[in-house]
Amino acid sequence: MKKNRAQNCVWAASRKSVKPLVFVLFLLYFFLSLGFALPAGAQAGQSQTGSSQPGELRPTYPGEPFNNPPVETTIGPAKLRVYGTVLLNISTSDTDQVGQDVPLWPLPSSVNVQLPDGTTKPAGTIHDTIFTARQSILGVVLNPASAPASGWMPSAQVEVDFFGTRPIDADTPQNRVLNQPRLRLAYFQLQKGDFKLVAGQDKIIISPLDPVSLSHVALPLGYAAGDLFGWLPQVRVDYNHKFGNTGTLFQIGILRPTFGDPRLGDEPAAGTALDSSSGFGERASQPFYQARFAVTRPMQGSTATVGVGGHYGKEIVGATRDIDSWAFTLDFRVPLLSRLILRGEGYVGSNLVPFGGGILQGVAAVAAPAPAPAGSLTLIRPIGDGGGWAEFTILATRRNVFYLGASTDDPVNRELLPGTTKQKNSLVWGSYFRKLTNNVTLAAEWSNWQFHTIGFTGNTPAARGTYGRGNVVNIALAYQF
């Protein structure tokens, strides 16, 4: 996408002079110098995870908020909290879904799936029934047992699920080999007064919200369909300050610059870790830069929040060529009535494959004809993208909650090329959460998916391509502690 003059001005400074190490040192110096200047008895702001104790970190839970007394104990100078969600999902679909137990989009109905006896069957006629517990979560949180004399409140969180890869074992059927643990969160924070320093793996800054779902915990509902998402190593500073009954939050940080774009072959080889080799983002020699500003105010007996964010990064695709990645985002949580809440996010940007944008398409490319070297690309261009999601929360009673939502991801058609033909991915959903006990939740969710591709005449987008439509019903049982 060609940038207009305003966009060029926004990113010119980042491209010219900011070096990662200098930026990190300045960030740390700025944070520490301001933090030590605060009075020793200054009150800490409420933590991002909703802690009611000054400076104390508390975990979040998938699905309905968890409100039981925590499972925690004091060990020496630390307060150790163990938490988790034991989750069973049972789902059925009326078409073959990419992602299967965590659906991302339906395969086009015209696509034929080959069966072991050599026959084929249209993807739209395949019905899958899946039982899985691998989206279960286990985590620990550490907080100080008493307020430190320095005024700095240190805390840390580590969280894993079991959505990792299956180990290769030729002697055991693969469907009987359980998945390996997978790291979700691993960070620590230092908080004093209105300032907080976060270092480690956490959610990306520009997209703090996700739809509420127990069917999609390993990846959020709407990933690659309108919800930008990612867990990335980062260093971040938060400044949270109140003016009367209005709260403000400013966040700025640097994140790991990873792309993993399948169109450019920027994915780790099977059986290896992404960290085992540098990708096109790491070779750009600078991190992702992200920032967000949010305002909160009391509303309808709850809190309304509106935030805006920005992202910039780049990847190296040639000796002298790089491609920008950028985004502007909006997030909101608005209590329309005491029992009706509207939440959602929207974004515009380009080359957003690191966060599931563009329906997992960041760059469009066409192979160069012979006699060019094999694998050479004659045409490379970033894919512009826009999308978002919105969800109504209906608090019928304390134990009965309903959700209605819609989400869409809509890449810019004129920037697609043969090989990158995913044109639009949308879904609508409705779910019902029932608290059976204080620990056990039963959730029923229905989602309808609409997936479209585009056809080409040469490299020019032409008629509508193949499309897929599907319905998924998921029943979830969750025990949370």
Side-chain angles (χ1 to χ4, degrees):
M1 177 187 291
K2 293 182 179 179
K3 296 183 178 67
N4 58 35
R5 183 174 300 173
Q7 291 167 348
N8 285 331
C9 292
V10 169
W11 302 122
S14 295
R15 290 196 298 267
K16 286 181 180 178
S17 60
V18 178
K19 296 295 182 180
L21 182 58
V22 175
F23 189 85
V24 171
L25 292 175
F26 172 76
L27 207 63
L28 291 173
Y29 173 78
F30 176 78
F31 168 71
L32 293 173
S33 61
L34 287 177
F36 279 115
L38 292 174
Q43 284 289 326
Q46 188 177 36
S47 77
Q48 193 175 3
T49 53
S51 173
S52 59
Q53 299 298 323
E56 184 175 300
L57 175 63
R58 294 180 64 187
T60 58
Y61 291 80
E64 272 303 281
F66 182 73
N67 52 16
N68 277 354
V71 180
E72 64 183 11
T73 187
T74 299
I75 303 176
K79 184 164 58 176
L80 171 67
R81 176 170 180 174
V82 180
Y83 71 95
T85 299
V86 181
L87 178 61
L88 172 67
N89 280 305
I90 304 171
S91 66
T92 181
S93 64
D94 61 2
T95 186
D96 200 7
Q97 292 275 343
V98 173
Q100 204 169 30
D101 52 345
V102 180
L104 301 179
W105 64 82
L107 281 175
S109 55
S110 60
V111 172
N112 289 323
V113 178
Q114 184 159 349
L115 302 175
D117 63 358
T119 61
T120 59
K121 191 174 183 179
T125 63
I126 292 178
H127 299 172
D128 288 331
T129 299
I130 298 172
F131 285 62
T132 180
R134 67 183 186 136
Q135 295 191 75
S136 297
I137 291 173
L138 182 63
V140 295
V141 169
L142 283 172
N143 286 295
S146 58
S150 66
W152 289 98
M153 179 74 71
S155 52
Q157 180 177 2
V158 177
E159 180 178 290
V160 299
D161 62 19
F162 300 90
F163 206 75
T165 59
R166 288 187 173 95
I168 298 174
D169 186 344
D171 299 321
T172 306
Q174 283 296 292
N175 62 347
R176 297 184 186 180
V177 178
L178 302 182
N179 291 74
Q180 297 173 340
R182 182 186 67 158
L183 184 67
R184 293 162 60 96
L185 302 172
Y187 67 90
F188 72 90
Q189 66 180 40
L190 278 171
Q191 183 167 341
K192 183 178 183 180
D194 293 338
F195 287 88
K196 181 195 300 182
L197 170 69
V198 179
Q201 181 162 304
D202 197 5
K203 286 191 64 176
I204 58 175
I205 299 171
I206 59 173
S207 181
L209 304 178
D210 297 311
V212 177
S213 174
L214 284 177
S215 71
H216 287 64
V217 176
L219 293 170
L221 184 65
Y223 178 76
D227 181 23
L228 299 183
F229 167 79
W231 292 305
L232 288 179
Q234 60 189 268
V235 178
R236 184 181 83 236
V237 172
D238 295 359
Y239 175 68
N240 193 338
H241 188 72
K242 279 196 171 185
F243 300 90
N245 62 354
T246 299
T248 60
L249 172 64
F250 178 68
Q251 302 172 291
I252 185 170
I254 54 175
L255 301 84
R256 178 176 180 171
T258 186
F259 281 86
D261 193 329
R263 190 67 184 93
L264 298 179
D266 187 31
E267 295 178 297
T272 63
L274 182 61
D275 301 74
S276 63
S277 61
S278 59
F280 298 151
E282 286 83 358
R283 289 177 179 171
S285 71
Q286 63 176 285
F288 286 162
Y289 305 98
Q290 292 191 357
R292 175 176 174 264
F293 177 74
V295 176
T296 62
R297 284 184 63 86
M299 186 175 181
Q300 299 290 347
S302 183
T303 302
T305 302
V306 177
V308 292
H311 154 79
Y312 174 73
K314 68 177 181 178
E315 60 179 330
I316 298 295
V317 298
T320 60
R321 184 171 184 178
D322 57 80
I323 297 180
D324 290 343
S325 169
W326 62 269
F328 295 106
T329 62
L330 169 71
D331 61 87
F332 55 89
R333 179 191 184 275
V334 182
L336 302 177
L337 301 169
S338 61
R339 295 183 178 271
L340 179 64
I341 300 170
L342 175 63
R343 301 166 64 251
E345 294 179 337
Y347 63 89
V348 294
S350 178
N351 193 10
L352 297 179
V353 69
F355 319 118
I359 322 176
L360 299 182
Q361 300 172 125
V363 173
V366 173
S376 299
L377 301 173
T378 186
L379 180 59
I380 304 174
R381 62 188 180 205
I383 297 173
D385 188 32
W389 61 273
E391 179 181 67
F392 287 102
T393 301
I394 304 170
L395 304 167
T397 68
R398 189 176 71 87
R399 291 187 177 272
N400 297 277
V401 184
F402 296 86
Y403 298 92
L404 296 172
S407 185
T408 189
D409 190 341
D410 191 6
V412 178
N413 291 353
R414 67 178 180 274
E415 293 173 354
L416 301 177
L417 290 170
T420 45
T421 61
K422 296 192 282 285
Q423 178 193 28
K424 193 172 186 178
N425 189 25
S426 304
L427 75 148
V428 296
W429 68 88
S431 59
Y432 166 59
F433 281 65
R434 166 67 179 177
K435 283 278 190 181
L436 301 181
T437 72
N438 288 338
N439 294 87
V440 178
T441 299
L442 170 67
E445 178 186 286
W446 163 82
S447 56
N448 175 267
W449 302 74
Q450 306 282 333
F451 172 69
H452 299 273
T453 66
I454 193 169
F456 288 85
T457 300
N459 292 333
T460 303
R464 177 179 174 179
T466 57
Y467 62 92
R469 298 174 180 171
N471 295 280
V472 179
V473 175
N474 186 88
I475 304 297
L477 278 166
Y479 177 89
Q480 294 179 317
F481 60 90

